[in-house]
Amino acid sequence: MQWERGARLFTWEEVGLRTGKGNFKEERWLVINRKVYDVSQFYLQHPGGPRLIRHYSGQDATDAFIAFHKDEDLVKKYLNSLLIGELTPDQPSCEPTKNEMLVHDFHELRMKVKKMGLLKSSVPFFAFIFLHAFLLDMASWFTIWYFGKSWVPFLIGVAMFTVIQYGFFQHDLGHISVFQKPKWNRLAHTFVMGILKGGPKSWWIDLHNRHHAKPNCFLKDPDLNMHPFLFSLGKSLSVELGKKKKKYMPYQHQHKYFSCEYFYGSFVSKDDKDNEKNCKSFLIVLFLKITYFHRSLESTWFLWVSQMNHIPMNISYDQNLDWVSSQLSATCNVDHSWFNDWFTGHLNFQIEHHLFPTMPRHNYCKVAPLVKSLCAKHGVHYECKPILTAFADILHSLKEYGQDWQEAYLHELGVGDVQTATEIH
């Protein structure tokens, strides 16, 4: 192990105290490749969002840093000004909560993946994705324009517009996995997300990257913001909520109202009909109607695809696990097939996507055997299931979480007691 002569030396314990809380609430440190960085002020200007880097305060952020930064040379200019020292030579490569051998083997796997060229995208693949989207876009508008505004051509046009899958394409661009240069991905992402999808690019920067950094970690993964105001998620969190006598929704029925929470705008309201009478342009009204129907279908589609990989998995507070363990405990895969790949935008390979977020989706199936081998070697559970089972598991999990909450709410039972009571019932 090499270190600079005269550099300040720290222990994991010292770094772990600099979380921005407690006695050192003004200090935030993190470790990257054994180097200690002070991000107490920088986290507010972090290009990836202040909360993302803040969630790693007091922790080793090496794997997250490598996973998110495709252009390492570009970010070095930020790191140099933040460097305050490094770990002492007698300190292990990672914190005690992490599997050091697994961390080491994953680093070797990542280097192997890079040498194999699996982090480079295929131009023909994404050209086909774009052509597929463009032709369906044109076909949907042509169908409605040529065959009239009756319900049949309207619904056919909406269906074609929905299966364009702009949502999955912007997902690729947001992860810097389409073009080799990050700049081109960001420009294209701004166009697809901001214009074609009509959503702010800042949503991606602030929310989705945080989800990848700390998946299924309550108070850190923004996808869990629905707990506890809409749903009660995770066994331990549900029991905790029940014991505190918190009840914002009838959680014992949450598996029943799950679908309805997100399926909105399916029908044209009275206000829309009034607007149609008042509008001078038929195209404006038509566009609004298509948008309502399309967003309803697409939001429901994307909801089930995204949540089938996470809701049934472990949901709890951040335990500061190593990168592989934290991602595998929070994600699962769905069987590989041409339909599943298309229908999910290759998010059926959620494990590989979370381990290598900048990897182009067409390479997930190539790296999957290597990931399985790594997991088998270290006893990490690699879960893969049929797609219908994955959908059903969302409802089963929500039902179980609701029952856990109800048992704790009524009888003030702990996690172990709730599990025993559930088995008896």
Side-chain angles (χ1 to χ4, degrees), residues 220-235:
K220 291 190 175 182
D221 181 355
D223 285 6
L224 299 182
N225 286 347
M226 63 184 92
H227 174 95
F229 298 108
L230 293 178
F231 299 95
S232 181
L233 302 175
K235 176 176 287 292

Side-chain angles (χ1 to χ4, degrees), residues 131-328:
L131 184 63
H132 158 269
F134 177 77
L135 292 178
L136 282 175
D137 199 342
M138 295 300 99
S140 64
W141 288 108
F142 176 79
T143 300
I144 297 173
W145 171 77
Y146 186 80
F147 293 101
K149 59 180 180 179
S150 61
W151 277 106
V152 174
F154 174 76
L155 292 177
I156 292 175
V158 169
M160 287 191 291
F161 195 67
T162 301
V163 298
I164 287 174
Q165 296 188 344
Y166 277 141
F168 294 131
F169 186 47
Q170 70 83 24
H171 180 264
D172 297 320
L173 292 166
H175 277 293
I176 322 296
S177 62
V178 177
F179 302 102
Q180 197 60 31
K181 292 186 177 182
K183 179 181 178 180
W184 290 108
N185 285 279
R186 295 189 182 99
L187 289 174
H189 186 234
T190 300
F191 174 76
V192 175
M193 187 67 178
I195 298 178
L196 298 181
K197 290 291 297 171
K201 181 182 175 182
S202 57
W203 169 86
W204 181 274
I205 295 176
D206 187 46
L207 298 180
H208 193 69
N209 284 342
R210 280 197 286 140
H211 159 69
H212 270 267
K214 295 288 185 179
N216 280 14
C217 292
F218 184 50
L219 301 180
K220 291 190 175 182
D221 181 355
D223 285 6
L224 299 182
N225 286 347
M226 63 184 92
H227 174 95
F229 298 108
L230 293 178
F231 299 95
S232 181
L233 302 175
K235 176 176 287 292
S236 61
L237 295 180
S238 297
V239 171
E240 177 184 303
L241 195 65
K243 293 179 70 175
K244 291 181 178 179
K245 301 297 182 182
K246 296 292 183 64
K247 181 181 180 181
Y248 300 99
M249 295 287 286
Y251 303 121
Q252 67 273 28
H253 300 297
Q254 62 183 2
H255 59 290
K256 300 176 183 177
Y257 65 74
F258 170 76
S259 303
C260 302
E261 287 290 335
Y262 294 88
F263 194 85
Y264 58 90
S266 298
F267 301 97
V268 181
S269 66
K270 181 179 182 299
D271 292 337
D272 296 324
K273 293 179 180 178
D274 293 338
N275 289 336
E276 183 174 355
K277 293 178 182 179
N278 296 330
C279 271
K280 296 181 180 180
S281 174
F282 164 73
L283 290 178
I284 295 178
V285 178
L286 184 62
F287 176 77
L288 292 175
K289 287 184 176 181
I290 291 177
T291 300
Y292 290 151
F293 276 79
H294 158 64
R295 288 291 173 84
S296 299
L297 292 172
E298 187 183 41
S299 62
T300 304
W301 181 354
F302 194 81
L303 169 73
W304 284 83
V305 167
S306 61
Q307 295 308 312
M308 70 181 182
N309 305 108
H310 296 296
I311 283 184
M313 306 303 291
N314 180 61
I315 300 175
S316 188
Y317 293 96
D318 182 16
Q319 299 175 342
N320 192 20
L321 300 175
D322 57 79
W323 183 254
V324 175
S325 298
S326 64
Q327 302 298 335
L328 268 291

Side-chain angles (χ1 to χ4, degrees), residues 339-380:
F339 174 78
N340 288 352
D341 293 355
W342 171 81
F343 185 79
T344 66
H346 289 84
L347 293 183
N348 50 326
F349 289 98
Q350 192 73 209
I351 292 174
E352 288 71 27
H353 171 55
H354 267 256
L355 290 177
F356 307 98
T358 62
M359 177 180 288
R361 60 162 117 160
H362 52 77
N363 287 331
Y364 293 157
C365 61
K366 298 177 183 178
V367 77
L370 301 177
V371 174
K372 289 180 182 178
S373 177
L374 176 70
C375 292
K377 177 180 178 180
H378 293 276
V380 179

